[in-house]
Every structure is written in C-alpha cells, then in structure tokens.
Amino acid sequence: PSNTLWDEPAAAPEKLAWRWLKAAARAVGGILLLALMALAALWWWAGTDSSLTTALDWIGQSQPLSAERATGSLRAGGHIDRLAWQQNGLYVDARDVRLAWQPWSLLQGTLKLDRLSAASVHVNDLRAPAAAPAAGPPATLGLPLPVVLEAFSVGELRWSGPAAFAASGISGRYEFNGLRHQLELLGAQVAGGRYSGRAAVTARSPLTLEASLSGALAIPLPDSRASVPLAFRATASGPLTELLVKAELQMAAPSAADT
C-alpha cells in the first residue's frame, strides 16, 4: 500500500521551512552585497582629491580644529597649508603640513603613518596657572590602538607662554605597541646645540621611564669670537615619581679644522 497520504502532512512543513531558509539566504546575500558596494564606494571616495578636505570639515564640526587649503586624498594623504587647534587657552598653529599613511593598517588594529611633517609649529600657551600643583603623574597613558609613525619632522618649533622654548630641525620616529610609548629623536637644534636621544615610557601604572639624551654645543667666550665645544649626555630612569637622573657636561675634542 502507498504511504502518500501519510507523507503529505509531513512534507508541507519541510517545504515551508525550505522556503524560509531560501528567503533568509537571499536577504543576507543582499545585505552583504550592499555592504560590499558601500565599502567599495567609500574606498573610491577616499581616493578622490576632495576627500581630505571633506574629512577635515567633518572633524571641524565636532572638534576645535580648522584647516586651510588642504589638497590630497584621505586614502593616500596630502598637504595642508595651515592646521590650527585650540582648547582651554592652548593654541597650536602648524604650517605646511604633509601626511602619508596606510589606511589598510586599521584593519589589522594599528594606525600606521609613513610620514608626518610640518614646516613650522607654534604653540601659544595662554592657560591660567593651576590653582594647586598636580597630584602626580596620570595613572595611564594608553591610546585606543597601537600607533606607528615611521618618520616625523618639524622645521621650526616655537612654544610661547610661561615656559618659552624654541627648536629647529626636529626629526624622529614614534611607536606605541599597546604597552609602552617609544620615541627616537634623530636630531634637534636647540640654543646652538644639536641633540639626539631615545625615550620609552610604559602606558600603565606605575609609569616607568627610560630615556637618554646626548648632544654637542658651543659656548661663546666673553669678549671673544672663540667658543668652547662641549659634549652633553643625560639619562633618566625609573618610575616617574622617583626618577634617577644623571647628566654630564665635558669639553669635546677639537675638530681637525680647529687644530
């Protein structure tokens, strides 16, 4: 005897479930296709010449940041004639800014920048003096994600305010791996001296610093055109609350041209 009459009631729910599965698969496929198309459009737009300007305008709507005459793309980087930021009496003005980075690095959870440079940076500190001294160093110095800056340079740096400072010819490299910040100063000209050094500080408490700085400078003699060449070296190590600092200054050997 045939079992067709008994099989039909069971077959109906199976057909309905199969139809729902096919409909769900089509919906998911359509959503994925739309997402891929949106990503492709975003990637294309990020490569256009106006994308950097548009992105800076968007940032300026929510942050105290302004940019003038930006060229280039968000995907490859570009050039900004003037970039200014200010908050709570602290003003930063950078001129002739150039940026090149690797946007795909964000998919790996890291921000990688090939180059960041500025012809000049002026920091004007108009903040009121603190009513009470700081309680101590911060508990953490973390960033949202690891950062690699392969090369940075500043032609001229000026800091105006209670602690005036000026330097030129600054270049170096910076990296944050999630656990500590590492800075390599390849060179900087300060008050007639040329300096280089390294520094590393942990991102979590207790904050610990390991740093070294070396340089060469010439001290002019009174009532004379001659100068004394000096070599400088300093190190700092330990927790920020209990730093051990060592420094030495000695006469440098005269160059062949001076002998």
Side-chain angles (χ1 to χ4, degrees):
S2 175
N3 294 329
T4 304
L5 295 177
W6 296 98
D7 293 342
E8 286 183 355
E14 292 179 359
K15 291 182 178 180
L16 183 60
W18 179 245
R19 290 173 183 171
W20 276 106
L21 285 174
K22 289 197 295 183
R26 290 173 181 170
V28 171
I31 293 173
L32 290 176
L33 180 60
L34 289 175
L36 289 175
M37 292 176 63
L39 287 174
L42 179 62
W43 181 253
W44 172 83
W45 171 80
T48 61
D49 289 339
S50 62
S51 58
L52 180 60
T53 301
T54 304
L56 290 171
D57 290 341
W58 288 344
I59 295 174
Q61 294 176 6
S62 59
Q63 300 294 328
L65 181 74
S66 62
E68 296 179 3
R69 293 179 294 278
T71 58
S73 69
L74 187 63
R75 192 168 71 198
H79 172 265
I80 307 169
D81 277 2
R82 179 175 181 264
L83 193 63
W85 175 88
Q86 65 84 23
Q87 190 171 24
N88 300 329
L90 186 65
Y91 298 82
V92 180
D93 187 290
R95 304 296 178 102
D96 193 11
V97 179
R98 298 180 184 275
L99 167 69
W101 72 307
Q102 302 177 29
W104 280 112
S105 64
L106 294 175
L107 297 179
Q108 301 173 350
T110 301
L111 174 59
K112 291 185 178 181
L113 299 99
D114 297 321
R115 182 181 71 256
L116 178 61
S117 66
S120 65
V121 176
H122 182 204
V123 181
N124 192 10
D125 188 357
L126 300 179
R127 295 174 295 182
T140 61
L141 289 175
L143 295 176
L145 75 169
V147 177
V148 176
L149 175 54
E150 291 293 348
F152 68 84
S153 63
V154 178
E156 180 184 1
L157 171 65
R158 290 188 297 120
W159 188 295
S160 303
F165 175 79
S168 61
I170 304 170
S171 63
R173 183 183 185 276
Y174 167 79
E175 182 175 351
F176 172 65
N177 62 7
L179 298 177
R180 66 175 184 169
H181 303 265
Q182 300 178 77
L183 174 68
E184 181 179 5
L185 179 64
L186 298 178
Q189 190 84 20
V190 181
R194 187 69 181 172
Y195 301 90
S196 62
R198 296 173 179 268
V201 60
T202 56
R204 300 175 183 174
S205 183
L207 302 183
T208 303
L209 174 69
E210 295 290 338
S212 64
L213 181 68
S214 59
L217 64 158
I219 304 298
L221 294 175
D223 302 324
S224 173
R225 294 182 179 181
S227 60
V228 178
L230 299 174
F232 170 84
R233 178 172 175 80
T235 60
S237 61
L240 294 186
T241 54
E242 301 176 358
L243 275 179
L244 176 61
V245 179
K246 298 180 180 180
E248 61 180 22
L249 184 65
Q250 60 184 10
M251 290 187 62
S255 63
D258 297 331
T259 59

